[in-house]
Structure formats: structure tokens, C-alpha cells
Amino acid sequence: MAENAADRGATPEGRPTRPDLAAMIVPLGRALVAAEQPILDAHGLTMWAYSVLLHLDETPIRTQAALAEAIRADKTRIIAVLDDLETRELIRRQPDPEDRRVRLLSLTAEGRRLRDAAQTAIQQGEERLLARLPAADRAGFLKGLQALSTLPELTRGRGPSAS
């Protein structure tokens, strides 16, 4: 059976019927970052510091390089962030007993408290935005966004695959 343009998400002339994903997500991402900034400022955090705190917990991350990869940061750029967080006693960097050249990274109780307070405030703002969507659309949006954000090709720093 022949496929028509509407079935492919295109006009009869072959033009797409929706904007590109980046054209929709980038302005939203910028607006979300701008909305988060005053909250991070109030908690004494930069965006990179907040990213570090979000990715650390009781179970240590084995290397600074692994953390940098997890938050998609250049491993040399996060050293100053880690130094600051350690000085403020928000994270611990301890030698790995199996390899003393490696530093195990974990949150302190104060780091966890600060992370949770900042995240709660950020998500309260997000809830106000999400409340503008019908419940079914909201659930689908969040489910789809979570699925897309964990795709292996995205977590390894490559763009979407052409498959």
C-alpha cells in the first residue's frame, strides 16, 4: 500500500510537518537553565557543581574521569569544581585502596542536603511548567524525555543514530 505524505509526517510537498527536535528543545532548555540559575545562586552552586552533586551519592564513583564522562564535562574542567566542592565539605575525594592514584568521589551529608534542597526548589518550578500540560501529555512527555535522555549514543556523546 502506498504511503502518503501525512503518514510520513510531511506535507504533500515533502516538507516536515513539525519543527526539528533541537529547534523545540534548545529554547526550552535555555529557559529551564535561566529559571534554575537564581535557585543555584541562592544555594551557592554553579551549574557544573550542581551536576556533580546530582551524580554523586553514597556509592563512590571510582574516578574523576568517570564522573566527567557521566556529566558530559571535560575531565580537566571539572577539577576546579571538585576542588571547590571538597573545600566546602560537600564531596569527599578519597584514595582508592586498590589503586592509590585513583580518587573515589562521594557526597558528604552536607552535600546531599544541599543537592536535595536545590533539586526540590528546581523541580517545584518545573512542576508549575508541567502543570500547563494535560495529565496524559505530561506523562508521555516525561516518559519519552527520560527514554531519549538515556539512549547509549547520547550518553557516549554521539548524536542520534541514523538507524
Side-chain angles (χ1 to χ4, degrees), residues 12 14 21 24 26 34 60 71 80 86 97 104 123 129 135 137 145-146 160:
L21 293 177
M24 293 185 285
V26 168
I71 65 171
E86 184 178 36
L104 299 175
Q123 289 192 3
L129 177 66
D137 290 349
L145 194 57
Q146 288 171 331

Side-chain angles (χ1 to χ4, degrees), residues 2 9 27 36 41 61 72-73 82 92 100 113 129-130 149 160:
E36 287 181 11
D41 291 345
I61 289 183
R72 299 180 188 159
L82 297 175
R92 273 187 297 284
R100 300 199 48 83
R113 186 205 62 73
L129 177 66
L130 289 168
S149 69

Side-chain angles (χ1 to χ4, degrees), residues 3 100 151 157 160:
E3 179 181 40
R100 300 199 48 83
L151 289 174

Side-chain angles (χ1 to χ4, degrees), residues 126-149:
E126 291 171 349
E127 288 300 321
R128 287 189 292 277
L129 177 66
L130 289 168
R132 295 177 171 186
L133 296 174
D137 290 349
R138 176 184 175 162
F141 173 73
L142 290 171
K143 185 176 181 178
L145 194 57
Q146 288 171 331
L148 288 173
S149 69

Side-chain angles (χ1 to χ4, degrees), residues 30-54:
R30 287 182 178 146
L32 292 171
V33 168
E36 287 181 11
Q37 196 57 58
I39 296 167
L40 295 176
D41 291 345
H43 288 87
L45 294 170
T46 65
M47 187 62 73
W48 282 119
Y50 180 59
S51 292
V52 167
L53 295 180
L54 284 175

Side-chain angles (χ1 to χ4, degrees), residues 56-98:
L56 292 178
D57 217 330
E58 291 84 14
T59 304
I61 289 183
R62 190 156 187 279
T63 67
Q64 294 174 173
L67 174 64
E69 184 176 327
I71 65 171
R72 299 180 188 159
D74 181 288
K75 63 183 175 185
T76 60
R77 292 193 63 197
I78 67 162
I79 300 300
V81 173
L82 297 175
D83 289 345
D84 176 62
L85 293 172
E86 184 178 36
T87 299
R88 294 169 56 196
E89 298 183 352
L90 300 173
I91 68 166
R92 273 187 297 284
R93 286 194 282 194
Q94 300 172 300
D96 183 340
E98 296 175 17

